Amino acid sequence: MNKQKIKLIGTAISLLLASNYSYAAAVTLDVTAWKGNEAEPAGFPVLLKKFEQENPDIKIKLSFISRGDTDVVIPPRLQGNNSPDVMMVDMPLVKIWGDAGMLKDLNTKSDWYGDIAPAIKESIAPKGKLYVQPLELVGMGNFINTDLMKKAGIDKTPTTVNELIDSCKKLNDAGISPMLFPSGLSARLFAFANGLSRSPSKPWELGNGTASFVDDPGFNKAFSLTRDLIAANCFDPKIQAALDPWTTTLSEFRGGRVAMVMHGAWNIKSFSETEGLNYTLGPIPTDKATGTALDTFGMGWAISSKTKHAEAARKFLNFFAEDENLAVLLKDESAYSPYIKGTDGVPALAEKYNAARAAGNIVMWPVYMNHWPQAMESESVDGMASFLLDPDMSSKEVLEIWDETVEDSM
Amino acid sequence: MSISMNKSSSGSPKGNGMKFTGKTVFSASANVFVLFLVIAMLIPVAYMIMMSFRTGSEIAQDPLGFPTSLYFGNYINAMDKMNYFRSVVNSLGITLSVTALVSLLGSMAAYPLARRTNGFSKAVIMLVSLGLATPNFVNITPIYIIFRDLGLLDSYVGIIIVFTALNLPLSIFFYTGFISSVPKELEEAARLDNCSNWQIYWHVIRPLLGSATATLSLFVMLMVWNDFIYPLLLLTDESKFTVMISVYRFVGNRSIEPDMLFPAAVLGSLPLLILFGFFQRRILSGVTAGAVK
């Protein structure tokens, strides 16, 4: 074998080793999320491609696991020390996994934490430990079919309860079904927005037992106002008690068979794709002139405390903290930025909802801020369903059970 | 439906018309009831199929309406995004392997348990029965950790072993009861011909288990095909995903888009329906064997 051949073989081996080294240096980040599938892409296809282009040494392996199954599938992986590097979380998950030491402290000195909106800033780092990077705040308000409202001679978005009752009367006179009010969501939106906006107590005081629901004038008033809506024939309470908020309610509104439905802004994308549906998103009618915006903490990223790729995971989170990138997700989700000067993704049709926010009339969905225990999520559905089935019952009967639920969760 | 129409030979007024006996009226009513029951069960399936051929706007306008034309765009979209053929092959491979293993291992374990009626056998049967009563969420973490330590995560072998293990208690319980009813004389005759225990199982007992195996296979196939929690937990490589995980990609967290979900659901169920249709005669003859003496 002559020297030239030996040199060639040597070069080939070096090249091979170099390519192997560069392969080994590439990190594959295991990410789980309940977004990014066909039904709710949340801009992920674009964003993940962009991230990989900007970070050629990091590959993203995204696994779709629905929110419901996250509770089942992720804990074994966390306990088995084989967790995903980055996980999509909401606040109840942050509480459980963070308290169990399964999440990495992202540190309140992170560049992006200083820019977080005041409404959630303290709640996401309650004991000085920051386990979640918020991705969105989602509005929940009153969707209004503008064509049906015009037919009934209504040209103003109802922002107060009195205006809502007046709209119901006009719609009924025009032979139009005024609204759907399923206990699973809409009834709770109305009760929580009215209860929290009128309550003298802070939401977390109700959720930690310092204050009680049964003595709260705001929540008692909320039930009384629900009774007023029933009296004004805004909806048939017995039918609404068991109506599915996620399928039938949405298809009825999309089909133009009902004038109003209180629901989440995440529907904006699919409603806007429905031919012939003209609508707006208003706030939840309360005693405030602008109405009340009811925001919820949608989702965020958390890093596993056992990750072997902490640096890559941080880069991934920092990418989503950049306004230009987050704006893509927020536009697809029709959501608000969790950052003070962030670009919101909510379209102009939510102008009235935005006005309520701008006026500072915002309440946060208490369970998803960990202000109330998670058990209140199902208990509030049961409470509203009981009330709709028997509107003559005293609100105290429902509110006593809510207090007991809080007490049991402590 | 059978209604007897007896013509009386006596020519009496009572016998001139149709004569409905109590038995025939009961039989006719039962048939009508069963027919309604079948229709009631088929309505959701028919609805799903009808919706899968309509556009999103059509469904929104008239959710209960019939399709005015067959729109195949939903299916093309679903097949494109589901990696359909690969995931069907994965599901078929896993389901058939598990069914075969559960039938074989279950019957092998059940044979001695059915024949040896001592305290130990009874204790083992009780222990196996516990497997039927254990909820899934109790098993899921230990299974994950054991399979991680065995290096069986993200492998076909791993998922097949898990499903086999999860279905074995049902299988053993099922076969033990069935084998207990097989006359011992058959085995004694084989033993006179110098057959070993294995030969008796293989040549005498196993061929008699056709009806039990058919029924059991139905349960096991449905359970394995439709489950997506264990594949979701144990498989991370998308090329190994089962068809139900692919269907699941079309389910939203906060809403359901029928024009996306329904065609995916039809496609997800179709291979199993074809499989059942293909083996229908064999399954039915197996299920009903022994019902008539």
Side-chain angles (χ1 to χ4, degrees):
Chain A
M1 196 180 283
N2 59 33
K3 279 183 179 177
Q4 204 172 359
K5 275 186 179 172
I6 291 169
K7 266 186 182 177
L8 270 172
I9 291 168
T11 313
I13 290 170
S14 306
L15 281 171
L16 199 66
L17 286 172
S19 67
N20 274 346
Y21 176 76
S22 65
Y23 178 74
V27 167
T28 299
L29 212 55
D30 189 359
V31 180
T32 58
W34 55 79
K35 296 283 175 179
N37 65 339
E38 308 308 330
E40 292 171 13
F44 279 16
V46 176
L47 289 171
L48 298 188
K49 197 173 170 186
K50 188 181 175 204
F51 176 81
E52 287 182 341
Q53 279 170 353
E54 289 178 9
N55 299 276
D57 56 333
I58 304 173
K59 299 282 167 227
I60 301 295
K61 186 181 174 195
L62 179 75
S63 303
F64 169 78
I65 300 172
S66 81
R67 172 61 188 87
D69 295 315
T70 296
D71 289 325
V72 181
V73 173
I74 300 295
R77 293 187 62 182
L78 287 167
Q79 289 166 40
N81 291 336
N82 196 21
S83 61
D85 299 299
V86 178
M87 295 162 285
M88 183 168 278
V89 290
D90 55 20
M91 290 300 284
L93 287 176
V94 169
K95 181 161 177 53
I96 298 166
W97 295 348
D99 288 353
M102 291 169 170
L103 303 179
K104 191 175 268 298
D105 183 7
L106 304 176
N107 199 331
T108 50
K109 287 174 186 160
S110 299
D111 291 342
W112 47 265
Y113 181 72
D115 297 330
I116 294 286
I120 59 166
K121 194 169 185 178
E122 280 185 28
S123 298
I124 62 170
K127 295 170 192 164
K129 297 276 185 190
L130 177 66
Y131 294 121
V132 59
Q133 180 197 46
L135 287 171
E136 62 174 16
L137 295 176
V138 190
M140 296 192 286
N142 192 19
F143 281 98
I144 295 161
N145 184 318
T146 47
D147 289 340
L148 293 180
M149 295 295 263
K150 273 180 199 158
K151 266 190 197 171
I154 306 162
D155 52 8
K156 185 182 180 301
T157 299
T159 52
T160 65
V161 179
N162 285 339
E163 286 173 1
L164 179 64
I165 288 172
D166 191 45
S167 299
C168 288
K169 285 175 182 164
K170 287 180 178 166
L171 286 160
N172 276 321
D173 289 346
I176 297 165
S177 174
M179 61 193 295
L180 294 177
F181 204 71
S183 60
L185 187 66
S186 309
R188 293 193 297 151
L189 298 185
F190 183 77
F192 287 7
N194 276 282
L196 290 169
S197 65
R198 292 162 199 263
S199 174
S201 306
K202 300 289 181 199
W204 49 89
E205 291 172 339
L206 290 162
N208 64 19
T210 315
S212 78
F213 284 102
V214 76
D215 297 326
D216 191 278
F219 276 88
N220 280 292
K221 180 69 178 172
F223 279 86
S224 151
L225 291 171
T226 305
R227 210 176 274 124
D228 291 346
L229 297 185
I230 295 167
N233 289 324
C234 286
F235 51 84
D236 180 339
K238 287 192 168 54
I239 292 175
Q240 306 300 317
L243 189 72
D244 180 32
W246 313 110
T247 52
T248 319
T249 303
L250 299 176
S251 64
E252 287 299 288
F253 185 78
R254 212 178 283 151
R257 288 180 288 279
V258 64
M260 293 179 281
V261 64
M262 292 177 198
H263 222 284
W266 53 81
N267 293 300
I268 287 178
K269 192 179 178 197
S270 71
F271 285 172
S272 296
E273 285 168 359
T274 306
E275 286 170 35
L277 178 65
N278 297 309
Y279 71 99
T280 58
L281 175 65
I284 306 284
T286 56
D287 61 341
K288 314 281 184 204
T290 60
T292 296
L294 178 50
D295 282 3
T296 186
F297 182 104
M299 60 200 185
W301 291 128
I303 300 177
S304 164
S305 57
K306 301 279 168 54
T307 180
K308 290 170 188 154
H309 309 301
E311 196 46 44
R314 278 188 194 280
K315 277 187 184 173
F316 185 73
L317 264 62
N318 288 340
F319 174 85
F320 277 88
E322 286 173 28
D323 188 57
E324 178 195 354
N325 301 326
L326 190 59
V328 176
L329 181 151
L330 295 173
K331 192 179 175 194
D332 222 20
E333 287 277 289
S334 304
Y336 294 99
S337 172
Y339 299 102
I340 296 169
K341 290 177 184 167
T343 307
D344 295 328
V346 182
L349 59 86
E351 180 193 358
K352 294 287 179 188
Y353 191 93
N354 291 335
R357 285 184 107 241
N361 293 324
I362 312 176
V363 292
M364 298 297 298
W365 187 253
V367 175
Y368 283 164
M369 289 307 297
N370 287 343
H371 292 158
W372 292 0
Q374 202 180 357
M376 275 298 289
E377 187 68 12
S378 56
E379 197 50 62
S380 58
V381 177
D382 293 349
M384 292 314 297
S386 307
F387 187 77
L388 291 179
L389 289 169
D390 180 13
D392 294 329
M393 77 190 290
S394 164
S395 56
K396 293 200 184 303
E397 285 183 56
V398 175
L399 295 174
E400 268 171 9
I401 296 174
W402 290 9
D403 281 328
E404 283 168 20
T405 306
V406 168
E407 200 181 322
D408 292 346
S409 303
M410 286 194 300
Chain B
M1 197 185 298
S2 63
I3 299 173
S4 67
M5 297 166 68
N6 297 338
K7 194 172 181 181
S8 172
S9 56
S10 65
S12 68
K14 194 180 173 184
N16 278 341
M18 289 188 295
K19 184 184 175 186
F20 293 93
T21 64
K23 194 176 174 182
T24 53
V25 169
F26 176 78
S27 170
S29 308
N31 284 341
V32 169
F33 177 71
V34 168
L35 190 67
F36 274 116
L37 213 60
V38 169
I39 290 171
M41 284 192 288
L42 286 178
I43 282 174
V45 181
Y47 179 77
M48 178 176 78
I49 294 169
M50 280 192 325
M51 293 304 108
S52 68
F53 287 107
R54 302 175 74 200
T55 63
S57 297
E58 280 176 353
I59 296 170
Q61 290 305 318
D62 185 7
L64 296 175
F66 287 91
T68 47
S69 61
L70 295 181
Y71 176 66
F72 286 95
N74 295 339
Y75 279 92
I76 294 166
N77 178 45
M79 285 180 88
D80 180 41
K81 289 174 178 166
M82 282 172 80
N83 193 9
Y84 184 63
F85 294 106
R86 175 72 200 222
S87 58
V88 165
V89 169
N90 291 341
S91 277
L92 276 176
I94 292 167
T95 305
L96 294 176
S97 306
V98 171
T99 309
L101 279 172
V102 165
S103 306
L104 182 69
L105 298 178
S107 59
M108 282 168 63
Y111 175 45
L113 290 173
R115 285 295 179 244
R116 292 181 185 168
T117 51
N118 53 28
F120 177 72
S121 296
K122 283 177 186 167
V124 171
I125 292 172
M126 288 286 283
L127 206 62
V128 166
S129 309
L130 277 179
L132 289 171
T134 313
N136 233 355
F137 66 86
V138 175
N139 294 329
I140 203 160
T141 302
I143 284 176
Y144 184 82
I145 292 171
I146 291 167
F147 276 67
R148 178 204 63 188
D149 292 349
L150 292 173
L152 289 172
L153 294 179
D154 207 20
S155 72
Y156 291 122
V157 174
I159 195 79
I160 289 169
I161 291 175
V162 165
F163 277 132
T164 304
L166 289 172
N167 283 289
L168 264 179
L170 171 73
S171 166
I172 293 170
F173 199 69
F174 198 74
Y175 278 126
T176 305
F178 193 86
I179 294 171
S180 300
S181 66
V182 173
K184 283 183 184 170
E185 288 76 8
L186 292 173
E187 289 168 55
E188 284 162 6
R191 224 172 277 283
L192 286 175
D193 289 336
N194 284 330
C195 281
S196 65
N197 283 337
W198 169 253
Q199 285 170 322
I200 293 172
Y201 162 75
W202 192 255
H203 295 294
V204 178
I205 300 294
R206 192 188 54 83
L208 296 172
L209 299 179
S211 56
T213 302
T215 313
L216 182 76
S217 299
L218 264 176
F219 280 112
V220 173
M221 285 172 93
L222 280 173
M223 185 266 172
V224 175
W225 187 274
N226 288 328
D227 187 273
F228 63 81
I229 288 294
Y230 282 101
L232 201 59
L233 176 74
L234 300 175
L235 303 175
T236 49
D237 181 354
E238 281 197 23
S239 67
K240 291 176 184 155
F241 279 0
T242 58
V243 74
M244 278 304 148
I245 298 186
S246 305
V247 171
Y248 179 65
R249 292 183 65 86
F250 292 85
V251 181
N253 291 288
R254 294 157 168 168
S255 63
I256 286 171
E257 303 294 337
D259 57 322
M260 290 169 86
L261 177 62
F262 287 170
V266 170
L267 288 170
S269 322
L270 199 61
L272 201 59
L273 283 175
I274 292 172
L275 203 67
F276 281 159
F278 195 65
F279 291 109
Q280 187 186 26
R281 185 182 284 183
R282 190 169 171 77
I283 291 169
L284 275 179
S285 64
V287 171
T288 53
V292 182
K293 289 190 177 178

